[in-house]
Amino acid sequence: MAVPESVVQRWNEMTEEEQNQAVSFIDFLLLRRKNRKPPKTKFELGALKGGLVYISDDFDKTPEEFEEYM
């Protein structure tokens, strides 16, 4: 992918110090992406393999707080 001309123009307008800061920021963004870890699952796969152990008798009952919306 080629660098867009607008980026080249902006780059050329910056001082050497600003260009160094821009390069440092690009390095920071790349490092942050490299170090990003995928989200962890909140349960182990296969945890319900043996079936559910317990479901409350009133599982399907609408909570009082939501009855006005039903």
Side-chain angles (χ1 to χ4, degrees):
M1 178 176 141
V3 177
E5 183 62 31
S6 61
V7 173
V8 174
Q9 288 173 343
R10 289 179 178 123
W11 179 265
N12 290 330
E13 291 175 9
M14 291 191 292
T15 66
E16 185 176 345
E17 177 61 29
E18 291 169 335
Q19 290 174 349
N20 289 335
Q21 290 175 353
V23 169
S24 293
F25 185 66
I26 291 169
D27 290 341
F28 163 75
L29 292 175
L30 293 172
L31 183 63
R32 185 176 70 171
R33 181 176 42 166
K34 181 180 174 184
N35 291 335
R36 189 173 296 151
K37 296 177 183 173
K40 293 182 180 180
T41 56
K42 299 192 188 271
F43 61 93
E44 292 184 31
L45 295 177
L48 299 176
K49 189 175 183 180
L52 292 174
V53 177
Y54 171 79
I55 293 181
S56 175
D57 293 333
D58 63 350
F59 176 79
D60 290 327
K61 184 177 181 251
T62 303
E64 290 177 20
E65 297 83 8
F66 293 102
E67 285 183 2
E68 66 181 280
Y69 301 106
M70 301 305 280

